[in-house]
């Protein structure tokens, strides 16, 4: 970073739909400024610059040469991410790139090594791990408040209302397909909870009756230390019916998270008084209901081949679906703040570092490679 500036001056490459939303969130980090924008579509650059009051650059090269830019934020379609990240790093700029990191994991390894050599920031915007619900669920898993994790699923019934047949998302040479373009968020989330996973089977379904080959539905079964998780993504819903559920089933209960940026959590389970208190403390804003209390012999039960005891059956609810947009903005702000703290002090441990983009892409690549085409 230029020593004269304590601000972080962000140059933007690609000012389409998502950038308008993300940049608003980035600007909430004190000391961030937008120094300039380059978009291949001059109208997009202009309307972005009108909104955020920054310079318009006539080429990517000119933006990368700008001495008043410290960090490049890339939000173009995925097939451009590798070369644009590489050029930006080689020009001495820090890089935050939208997901996916690239179309191939091998390319990401190269980016990581350039960033390392040049002591520059390199991160992919996989912001899900900044969600407080992510951290609290991680505590439930690690402290075994509901026993061992047994099985999980993610069901993503997503909107395709604004994705017409010609959208770059359906051209797999541009997007990499749904596993690479979208599922990386959730491969990263589950790795954060359960450690490294492996894809053991996958499928994708082609939409019939359209001009181009379009694959709007994909599914993968993944193994996390002999625990299976099913991921389904289908882009076929109306905007108003866009909905997601993550379900984590444990030996003595379950957690359901709603929305793709999890905004509401439902926890159900059989617990001891001690674990009930621990759960209540973890979610102080949650509404905890004791569905049933057990006394004497009634406390005894058996699950997953083990004799156990419970004092209560509980249901806990936290958050609501309407918070999605507010939480989404907060995750983006927190991601940017975390990355900037690393730029200022390389000893700062980031929640998302250069490896998240690589690991999530490796999983997505394997899911794509194994996919049986239906
Ligand atoms: N992290 C998230 O939650 C999240 C959410 C949505 C989208 N995204 C990612 O953001 C990226 C952009 O998605 P979007 O929905 O904004 O797409 P978009 O199509 O709305 O915007 C892409 C922009 O890139 C521009 N562009 C294309 N080629 C370019 C080039 N060579 N140089 C400069 N600009 C170029 C286009 O003109 C357009 O303005 C994708 O990688 C997507 O996966 C991330």
């Amino acid at each position: 970073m230029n020593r004269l500036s304590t601000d972080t001056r962000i140059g933007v490459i690609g000012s389409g739909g998502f950038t308008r939303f993300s940049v608003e969130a980035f600007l909430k980090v004190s000391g961030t400024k937008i120094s300039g924008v380059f978009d291949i579509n001059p109208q997009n650059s202009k309307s972005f610059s009108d909104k955020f009051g920054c310079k318009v650059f006539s080429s990517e090269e000119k933006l990368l040469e700008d001495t008043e830019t410290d960090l490049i934020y890339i939000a173009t379609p995925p097939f451009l991410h590798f070369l644009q990240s590489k050029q930006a790093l080689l020009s001495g700029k820090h890089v935050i790139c939208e997901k996916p990191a690239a179309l191939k994991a091998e390319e990401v390894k190269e980016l990581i090594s350039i960033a390392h050599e040049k002591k520059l920031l390199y991160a992919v915007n996989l912001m899900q791990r900044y969600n407080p619900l992510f951290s609290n669920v991680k505590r439930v898993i690690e402290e075994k408040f509901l026993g061992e994790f047994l099985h999980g699923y993610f069901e993503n019934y997503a909107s395709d209302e604004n994705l017409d047949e010609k959208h770059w998302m359906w051209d797999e040479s541009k997007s990499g397909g749904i596993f690479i373009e979208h599922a990386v968020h959730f491969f990263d989330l589950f790795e954060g909870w359960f450690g490294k996973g492996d894809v053991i089977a996958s499928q994708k379904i082609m939409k019939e009756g359209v001009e181009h080959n379009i694959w709007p539905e994909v599914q993968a079964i993944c193994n996390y230390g002999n625990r299976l998780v099913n991921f389904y993504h289908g882009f076929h819903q109306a905007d108003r019916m866009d909905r997601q559920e993550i379900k984590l089933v444990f030996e003595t209960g379950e957690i359901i998270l709603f929305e793709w940026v999890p905004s509401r959590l439902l926890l159900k389970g059989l617990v001891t008084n001690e674990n009930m208190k621990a759960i209540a403390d973890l979610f102080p804003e949650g509404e905890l209901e004791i569905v049933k209390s057990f006394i004497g012999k009634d406390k005894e039960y058996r699950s997953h081949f083990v004799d156990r005891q419970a004092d209560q059956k509980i249901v806990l609810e936290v958050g609501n679906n309407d918070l999605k947009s507010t939480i989404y903005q907060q995750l983006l702000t927190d991601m940017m703040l975390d990355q900037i703290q690393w730029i200022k002090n390389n000893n700062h441990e980031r929640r998302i570092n250069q490896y998240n983009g690589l690991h999530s892409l490796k999983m997505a690549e394997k899911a794509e490679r194994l996919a049986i085409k239906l």
Side-chain angles (χ1 to χ4, degrees), residues 21 24-25 28 324-333:
F21 183 75
E24 261 181 30
K28 290 185 187 145
K324 181 176 152 196
S325 194
T326 315
I327 295 175
Y328 200 170
Q329 283 263 320
Q330 189 62 48
L331 305 188
L332 294 165
T333 305

Side-chain angles (χ1 to χ4, degrees), residues 17-79:
F18 187 60
T19 309
R20 313 293 161 119
F21 183 75
S22 56
V23 164
E24 261 181 30
F26 298 159
L27 287 172
K28 290 185 187 145
V29 178
S30 108
T32 51
K33 294 195 163 47
I34 303 300
S35 53
V37 61
F38 167 68
D39 194 293
I40 200 97
N41 176 341
Q43 277 170 353
N44 283 2
S45 292
K46 172 148 186 353
S47 64
F48 180 87
S49 124
D50 288 347
K51 180 162 182 198
F52 293 102
C54 66
K55 258 198 233 170
V56 170
F57 287 84
S58 57
S59 71
E60 189 182 309
E61 294 69 31
K62 289 201 171 117
L63 170 56
L64 296 183
E65 280 164 12
D66 181 39
T67 53
E68 290 175 10
T69 293
D70 310 300
L71 185 156
I72 298 290
Y73 170 62
I74 298 166
T76 51
F79 72 105

Side-chain angles (χ1 to χ4, degrees), residues 25-144:
F26 298 159
L27 287 172
K28 290 185 187 145
V29 178
S30 108
T32 51
K33 294 195 163 47
I34 303 300
S35 53
V37 61
F38 167 68
D39 194 293
I40 200 97
N41 176 341
Q43 277 170 353
N44 283 2
S45 292
K46 172 148 186 353
S47 64
F48 180 87
S49 124
D50 288 347
K51 180 162 182 198
F52 293 102
C54 66
K55 258 198 233 170
V56 170
F57 287 84
S58 57
S59 71
E60 189 182 309
E61 294 69 31
K62 289 201 171 117
L63 170 56
L64 296 183
E65 280 164 12
D66 181 39
T67 53
E68 290 175 10
T69 293
D70 310 300
L71 185 156
I72 298 290
Y73 170 62
I74 298 166
T76 51
F79 72 105
L80 297 165
H81 291 180
F82 167 58
L83 269 185
Q84 288 176 333
S85 299
K86 184 171 170 179
Q87 293 307 336
L89 290 168
L90 290 174
S91 308
K93 307 296 188 201
H94 300 291
V95 169
I96 296 180
C97 183
E98 266 313 324
K99 53 82 192 169
L103 295 188
K104 295 192 178 84
E106 279 308 310
E107 296 172 336
V108 187
K109 287 185 189 161
E110 191 180 334
L111 297 176
I112 291 174
S113 88
I114 300 172
H116 178 74
E117 227 167 81
K118 293 188 159 279
K119 299 187 170 42
L120 291 166
L121 176 95
Y122 170 62
V124 175
N125 182 20
L126 294 159
M127 71 299 152
Q128 297 274 25
R129 291 200 200 186
Y130 293 91
N131 193 331
L133 289 179
F134 162 79
S135 315
N136 287 348
V137 168
K138 194 168 164 65
R139 278 283 305 284
V140 174
I141 296 164
E142 286 172 356
E143 308 278 338
K144 302 193 193 331

Side-chain angles (χ1 to χ4, degrees), residues 150-167:
L150 296 177
H151 179 252
Y153 73 66
F154 175 53
E155 287 180 349
N156 180 9
Y157 303 118
S159 163
D160 66 348
E161 203 165 337
N162 298 311
L163 298 170
D164 65 41
E165 282 175 41
K166 296 208 172 73
H167 195 280

Side-chain angles (χ1 to χ4, degrees), residues 178-179 203-205 215-220 231-234 368:
I178 290 176
F179 283 126
Q203 301 85 28
K204 56 198 272 192
I205 299 182
W215 305 88
E217 289 173 82
V218 301
Q219 175 168 285
F231 293 88
Y232 171 84
H233 299 267
E368 185 59 41

